[in-house]
Amino acid sequence: MNTLDPQSSGGATLADEGTGGTTDAPVRDRKATRTALLGAMFLMATSAIGPGFITQTGQFTVKLGAAFAFAVLVSILIDIALQLNVWRVIGISGRRAQELANEVLPGLGWVLSALIFIGGLAFNVGNVGGSGSGLNILLGVSPAVGAAISSLLAVGIFLSAWAGAAMDRVVVFLGALMIALTAYVMFVSKPPVGEALQNTVAPSTIDATVITTLVGGTIGGYIIYAGAHRLVDSGNTGIEAVQDISRSSLLGILVTGLLRGLLFLAILGVVAAGHDLSQSASVAGDAFTIAAGDVGRRLFGLVFWAAAISSVVGCSYTTVSFLTSSSGTSTRVRNGVTIAFIVVCTAIFLGLGAAPATLLVLAGTLNGVLIPLGIAVMLWVAWFRRDLLHGYVYPKWLLVIGSVAWLVTVWLAYVTVKAKWPELVALFS
């Protein structure tokens, strides 16, 4: 396991810094490993926490009230079962998802990469737009100017000589910021926590569609691979790293679940107080404003911006990781392609105001298909390709729960394609 990749360590060894010795190298190794693992964990979490995440949480809280707690819990359990398998297979093998797919079936990896690229392009235009909206609420600048500023900040990360380390630190900071701000608004709104806890295990309403939507929004498309691919690039791979890999994947999902829970409770407090948000254009934004006044509105703008800009970084990094090789592509080239991807997404938003409708519908449909396809590859490697896992004996219990959760993604794909099919036919006819 190589833990001193310059992308993850953020600097040279102590000997290189002129200390005259290397006795502290193991300490440096451990620190570099912790930084990379923390970065991978938050990269996955913040990639999932985008503008759509916030919008969905607001809409479903208004729709289900306290019963939304059950949907959040079930979606987290499904996400854990899937992420534990995806991270473990990629982490132990030391190969990216598309590379494993090509080993399972030649050419399948390129299909996976094409699906990721289409979805990543469409959704990242939305992330760029979300960053503009966030700065509009926070600072009053126009959404176009806000989007341009945010994109320049994202580009700056990948222009850094230590882009990987910079990205790790930025996503950790933004993730912690969103949690702290949302927790503050949650306390101010005074939600009925007891009712929410009761509905977690005994819901008054169960909506399967909401659960599948949450699963797709949390691990759909590129999101499930974001943290695992970061592990590969930082060198934290192999059988000896399995405990760190499992812990990071679990904590990443829990961070995502924590923020969704805090956001849910913040909005629930406003709804429970008798405020009607059913006709609101921005449920979460109005809830923050009602709970904490103008300060709440500004805080929402900051949270929305942080969610959007971190998703721009995560989406761009992960999408490009499917277009480049982990070993055959230099860091400079990979960062250059990532910057170009951000620039293209920003140009589309500034020119059209959003991704083309055809691209959005197509991306949404392909995203539903992509989830079970990619996870099927991971499970196939775990079940039948022990050679790709360097002889690792895969836990059967983990395979079983992963396979059961995979069936949920198959249902999600069916529901998505069925819902989007009329639109696809209309667009391409």
Side-chain angles (χ1 to χ4, degrees):
M1 178 176 69
N2 173 22
T3 58
L4 274 180
D5 184 314
Q7 287 256 49
S8 61
S9 66
T13 63
L14 293 180
D16 291 337
E17 293 176 304
T19 62
T22 58
T23 56
D24 291 330
V27 175
R28 184 73 174 185
D29 282 3
R30 289 194 296 272
K31 292 174 67 175
T33 298
R34 285 197 297 270
T35 299
L37 290 171
L38 192 63
M41 179 184 82
F42 271 91
L43 181 66
M44 186 283 297
T46 55
S47 293
I49 303 166
F53 175 99
I54 294 175
T55 301
Q56 278 183 356
T57 302
Q59 292 173 342
F60 291 150
T61 301
V62 170
K63 178 181 180 180
L64 298 178
F68 183 50
F70 177 76
V72 172
L73 175 62
V74 173
S75 67
I76 289 174
L77 294 177
I78 295 172
D79 292 342
I80 288 174
L82 295 173
Q83 281 281 31
L84 283 174
N85 280 283
V86 170
W87 278 55
R88 186 170 296 216
V89 170
I90 292 177
I92 293 176
S93 69
R95 303 190 189 193
R96 294 177 180 172
Q98 74 272 23
E99 295 168 342
L100 290 171
N102 278 330
E103 290 287 344
V104 171
L105 181 65
L108 182 58
W110 297 113
V111 173
L112 203 61
S113 297
L115 296 177
I116 288 286
F117 176 75
I118 294 172
L121 180 65
F123 298 131
N124 210 36
V125 174
N127 293 332
V128 169
S131 67
S133 297
L135 287 187
N136 171 256
I137 299 169
L138 178 63
L139 302 176
V141 300
S142 71
V145 171
I149 293 173
S150 301
S151 295
L152 286 175
L153 292 175
V155 166
I157 293 173
F158 295 100
L159 284 175
S160 167
W162 307 103
M167 180 174 65
D168 291 341
R169 286 164 174 76
V170 166
V171 296
V172 169
F173 171 76
L174 291 174
L177 178 67
M178 286 187 282
I179 290 173
L181 296 180
T182 307
Y184 165 75
V185 177
M186 185 269 291
F187 282 116
V188 170
S189 72
K190 299 177 181 178
V193 177
E195 183 182 357
L197 289 174
Q198 180 180 349
N199 275 269
T200 301
V201 294
S204 57
T205 303
I206 298 177
D207 192 323
T209 303
V210 169
I211 294 173
T212 54
T213 302
L214 292 184
V215 171
T218 307
I219 61 168
Y222 67 90
I223 298 171
I224 196 169
Y225 308 106
H229 280 201
R230 179 68 191 121
L231 288 180
V232 172
D233 287 346
S234 66
N236 290 282
T237 59
I239 297 177
E240 65 272 24
V242 65
Q243 289 186 341
D244 287 336
I245 293 168
S246 298
R247 188 182 303 114
S248 296
S249 60
L250 178 61
L251 290 176
I253 284 293
L254 293 180
V255 167
T256 307
L258 172 62
L259 185 56
R260 194 185 292 277
L262 291 173
L263 185 59
F264 154 63
L265 288 173
I267 299 169
L268 181 64
V270 173
V271 173
H275 297 279
D276 183 10
L277 299 177
S278 59
Q279 303 302 316
S280 173
S282 174
V283 172
D286 288 348
F288 273 52
T289 303
I290 293 171
D294 187 61
V295 171
R297 184 176 69 86
R298 301 287 183 179
L299 290 181
F300 173 74
L302 184 54
V303 169
F304 201 79
W305 176 80
I309 189 63
S310 58
S311 290
V312 169
V313 172
C315 179
S316 302
Y317 167 81
T318 311
T319 300
V320 170
S321 75
F322 274 87
L323 305 178
T324 56
S325 168
S326 57
S327 57
T329 305
S330 69
T331 300
R332 179 175 303 216
V333 170
R334 187 163 59 242
N335 290 343
V337 176
T338 306
I339 290 170
F341 184 77
I342 295 172
V343 170
V344 169
C345 292
T346 305
I348 292 174
F349 173 74
L350 294 178
L352 302 177
T358 304
L359 183 59
L360 284 170
V361 174
L362 180 61
T365 307
L366 294 179
N367 189 50
V369 175
L370 176 62
I371 300 174
L373 176 62
I375 294 172
V377 170
M378 300 298 114
L379 292 174
W380 183 272
V381 171
W383 277 108
F384 305 112
R385 293 299 304 271
R386 189 174 173 184
D387 58 309
L388 296 175
L389 300 178
H390 312 296
Y392 175 70
V393 180
Y394 210 91
K396 288 294 186 292
W397 66 268
L398 188 56
L399 274 173
V400 170
I401 66 170
S403 298
V404 172
W406 174 76
L407 293 175
V408 175
T409 70
V410 174
W411 168 252
L412 174 63
Y414 168 75
V415 171
T416 301
V417 173
K418 183 179 179 181
K420 296 287 185 180
W421 189 254
E423 291 183 76
L424 282 174
V425 172
L427 286 170
F428 291 102
S429 61

